[in-house]
């Protein structure tokens, strides 16, 4: 019998510290008016002492498990989507496994930049579809602030920290993750990357002096990418789920830039009232962006049981991902049952 990966729990965790645009005015040559006009961002959360990817993820995971009515010991697998784990080694997922007390669960990290949570959702749904696992916790968490150059007004206004999580649970009833598409163009990886910290540029005095441990971004190149591959991807997953644009109740995109979100949705043909946007409060939290927004949409009643939700993300890699999720069970089995992996062709 086919198994369907349903989202049965969700949770989020955000750092205590709020950094507003007015705070940034005192740090770099910028203004609240300029930031809001060009990005839609008013404030963001910044991790402080004792707040790590692991601690934020554990808190978000506990919320998600609580909503699912599931004990940590029932988990089969934990997938952590992040580019900023607590340590270079081991991965952050094992710390979360220990912190939750998920003694039966396997655990691993997944790195795909801002798209990583949706990559994790795709991987988790396949473990369930194959019958390998029944209960999976997928987390997107980032502390982007650790690689920010707070003197660079082009980038420091754009990012924030946080974590979001969902429980994927195997069920016999059709629904849950209906389709997904994943893609990447590694030839453009330098459009958004952190040069140092890996084996190519270890943290030496020279590297530190040059500031190579800070995030580097080519905004124009990212914009061009976002308006092509991810946009095509979301159209593909809607088609693969045998749905139309009119069947989509809510779109949750990467919370990168309000103007970019508006442009993408206009090109897709989705009215803004069907789009969930919280970039004004959290800025771009990378891999945490989509799960935090999904959690808030469900908390606020913008997403409900029975809704079809389109998710999309794009960023470092350059990578992109899209998925369609049906909240709850469906009355009819979807024609496309196998969660097709769609490429760029």
């Amino acid at each position: 019998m086919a198994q369907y990966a349903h989202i049965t729990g969700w949770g989020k965790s955000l750092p205590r510290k709020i950094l507003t645009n007015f705070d940034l005015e005192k740090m770099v040559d910028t203004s609240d008016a300029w930031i809001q006009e060009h990005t839609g961002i008013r404030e963001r959360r910044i991790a402080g002492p004792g707040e790590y990817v692991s601690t934020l993820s554990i808190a978000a995971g506990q919320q998600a498990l609580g909503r699912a009515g599931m004990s940590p010991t029932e988990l089969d697998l934990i997938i952590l989507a992040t580019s900023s784990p607590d340590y270079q080694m081991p991965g952050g997922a094992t710390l979360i496994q220990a912190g939750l007390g998920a003694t039966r669960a396997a655990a691993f990290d997944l790195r795909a930049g801002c798209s990583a949570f949706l990559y994790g959702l795709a991987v988790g749904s396949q473990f369930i579809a194959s019958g390998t696992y029944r209960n999976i916790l997928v987390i997107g968490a980032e502390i982007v602030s650790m690689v920010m150059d707070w003197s660079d007004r082009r980038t420091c206004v754009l990012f924030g920290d946080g974590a979001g999580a969902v429980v994927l649970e195997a069920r016999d009833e059709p629904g849950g993750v209906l389709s997904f598409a994943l893609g990447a163009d590694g030839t453009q990886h330098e459009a958004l990357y952190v040069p140092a910290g890996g084996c190519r540029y270890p943290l030496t005095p020279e590297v530190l002096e040059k500031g190579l441990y800070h995030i580097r971004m080519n905004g124009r190149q990212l914009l061009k990418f976002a308006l092509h591959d991810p946009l095509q991807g979301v159209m593909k997953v809607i088609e693969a789920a045998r749905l139309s644009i009119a069947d989509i109740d809510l779109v949750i995109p990467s919370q990168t830039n309000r103007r970019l979100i508006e442009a993408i949705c206009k090109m897709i043909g989705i009215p803004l009232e069907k789009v969930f946007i919280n970039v004004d409060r959290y800025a771009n939290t990378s891999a945490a962006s989509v799960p935090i927004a999904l959690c808030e949409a469900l908390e606020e009643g913008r997403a409900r049981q029975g809704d079809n939700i389109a998710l999309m993300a794009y960023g470092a890699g350059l990578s992109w991902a899209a998925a369609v999720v049906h909240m709850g069970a469906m009355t009819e089995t979807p024609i496309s049952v196998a969660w097709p992996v769609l490429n760029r062709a």
Side-chain angles (χ1 to χ4, degrees):
M1 181 179 291
Q3 293 292 290
Y4 299 87
H6 286 254
I7 293 178
T8 59
W10 51 89
K12 70 180 190 298
S13 180
L14 295 151
R16 293 180 293 273
K17 180 180 178 180
I18 298 174
L19 186 71
T20 68
N21 292 345
F22 296 109
D23 294 324
L24 285 171
E25 287 180 344
K26 302 170 186 175
M27 299 164 59
V28 291
D29 182 16
T30 190
S31 69
D32 171 66
W34 188 94
I35 296 170
Q36 288 208 52
E37 179 185 351
H38 289 83
T39 70
I41 299 168
R42 292 186 292 108
E43 60 189 37
R44 69 284 296 146
R45 300 295 183 96
I46 303 297
E51 293 177 323
Y52 312 115
V53 160
S54 62
T55 59
L56 295 176
S57 297
I58 290 167
Q62 288 171 334
Q63 284 184 24
L65 288 166
R67 282 196 170 99
M70 186 180 295
S71 165
T73 57
E74 296 179 77
L75 285 174
D76 301 306
L77 176 65
I78 297 170
I79 301 173
L80 172 63
T82 189
S83 295
S84 51
D86 292 24
Y87 305 115
Q88 182 71 10
M89 182 177 66
T94 54
L95 304 182
I96 296 163
Q97 185 240 32
L100 289 172
T103 52
R104 291 181 50 254
F108 66 83
D109 291 14
L110 189 158
R111 296 183 68 176
C114 300
S115 309
F117 173 78
L118 291 184
Y119 268 69
L121 200 70
V123 171
S125 70
Q126 294 301 285
F127 274 117
I128 287 175
S130 69
T132 305
Y133 294 131
R134 295 192 60 81
N135 301 319
I136 299 173
L137 181 65
V138 184
I139 304 167
E142 298 284 12
I143 295 185
V144 190
S145 60
M146 73 175 191
V147 293
M148 293 309 308
D149 179 354
W150 294 104
S151 67
D152 181 3
R153 64 178 183 175
R154 298 171 303 168
T155 57
C156 73
V157 303
L158 300 176
F159 296 94
D161 304 332
V166 299
V167 171
L168 288 180
E169 188 173 343
R171 290 188 174 177
D172 297 334
E173 301 85 8
V177 182
L178 301 182
S179 60
F180 64 82
L182 311 174
D185 181 1
T187 64
Q188 300 190 65
H189 72 274
E190 290 187 353
L192 182 61
Y193 79 129
V194 177
C199 62
R200 183 169 297 195
Y201 295 107
L203 291 177
T204 63
E206 182 183 5
V207 165
L208 293 172
E209 184 180 350
K210 292 181 178 179
L212 297 181
Y213 56 91
H214 290 142
I215 197 167
R216 303 289 179 89
M217 187 182 75
N218 183 322
R220 291 181 181 273
Q221 197 171 348
L222 278 171
L223 175 63
K224 184 178 179 180
F225 176 79
L227 292 175
H228 186 264
D229 291 30
L231 190 146
Q232 290 187 343
V234 76
M235 299 301 293
K236 286 181 178 180
V237 293
I238 292 171
E239 180 183 356
R242 301 299 191 265
L243 300 173
S244 68
I245 291 290
D247 296 318
I248 300 300
D249 298 291
L250 189 68
V251 174
I252 300 179
S254 286
Q255 302 296 311
T256 51
N257 179 308
R258 184 179 179 94
R259 289 171 64 180
L260 178 56
I261 292 170
E262 290 173 350
I264 289 173
C265 291
K266 183 177 181 180
M267 294 174 75
I268 295 172
I270 292 280
L272 273 182
E273 56 266 27
K274 281 191 171 186
V275 183
F276 189 84
I277 301 175
N278 64 0
V279 69
D280 57 314
R281 286 173 286 138
Y282 305 128
N284 181 3
T285 55
S286 189
S289 173
V290 169
I292 290 173
L294 175 60
C295 182
E296 289 208 329
L298 289 162
E299 289 173 345
E300 296 173 12
R302 289 286 307 279
R304 302 178 178 86
Q305 292 296 302
D307 281 357
N308 296 312
I309 304 173
L311 309 170
M312 63 181 299
Y314 42 86
L318 293 176
S319 67
W320 63 267
V324 171
V325 174
H326 181 84
M327 296 302 299
M330 302 178 72
T331 56
E332 297 181 1
T333 303
I335 299 172
S336 177
V337 176
W339 293 288
V341 180
L342 304 174
N343 58 30
R344 297 176 67 212

